[in-house]
Amino acid sequence: MQNRIERITEVLDKNKAENIEVFDLRNKNYFVDYAIIASSLGSKHTYALLDHLKRDLKPSEKFNAVDESSDWIVVDLGDILIHIMTPEYRVKYDMESFLSALADGKEGMNR
């Protein structure tokens, strides 16, 4: 699993994704084991990062579903969820707070 996470973050990093964060959600009552969040440089870059992931990770990774918009793309690899977001959407939806609380076992607490 760690090799898969490293490969995904390497692809994102080498293609100029910013603020890449990995959340270990194993045994945390969440539907995936890991979530990865990365910021794009803008809408076109969001799509470009998805293309890089598809090109560099297939066929070793199975893309179960991809939900695309120009501001936020979610890639479902089954046990790993990848969020690629524009900086504005990343601030607006603040997934880090939710996933951090979940990873720390504080999912029921208010922030």
Side-chain angles (χ1 to χ4, degrees):
M1 177 63 82
Q2 197 58 38
N3 289 338
R4 293 173 62 209
I5 299 293
E6 288 175 14
R7 182 71 186 127
I8 293 165
T9 57
E10 284 174 13
V11 170
L12 292 169
D13 185 54
K14 81 175 183 183
N15 290 291
K16 307 217 184 318
E18 297 181 337
N19 302 317
I20 301 166
E21 291 191 58
V22 177
F23 297 88
D24 182 348
L25 303 169
R26 293 173 293 175
N27 305 314
K28 299 298 181 182
N29 199 26
Y30 199 58
F31 67 100
V32 294
D33 291 335
Y34 288 90
I36 300 171
I37 300 178
S39 293
S40 67
L41 301 174
S43 297
K44 289 182 181 180
H45 189 229
T46 304
Y47 286 120
L49 287 169
L50 174 61
D51 289 341
H52 288 296
L53 286 171
K54 285 180 177 178
R55 184 173 47 250
D56 292 352
L57 299 179
K58 284 184 176 180
S60 62
E61 291 288 350
K62 182 176 186 260
F63 285 58
N64 295 329
V66 177
D67 189 5
E68 297 180 44
S69 80
S70 59
D71 294 305
W72 188 351
I73 292 176
V74 181
V75 179
D76 178 358
L77 300 178
D79 51 358
I80 301 171
L81 206 59
I82 305 168
H83 297 269
I84 305 168
M85 309 167 89
T86 60
E88 298 80 17
Y89 263 56
R90 191 160 175 176
V91 169
K92 180 177 180 178
Y93 290 100
D94 191 20
M95 291 291 295
E96 286 91 344
S97 292
F98 167 73
L99 293 171
S100 292
L102 190 62
D104 291 340
K106 301 175 184 172
E107 62 273 8
M109 299 179 70
N110 293 329
R111 37 177 188 125

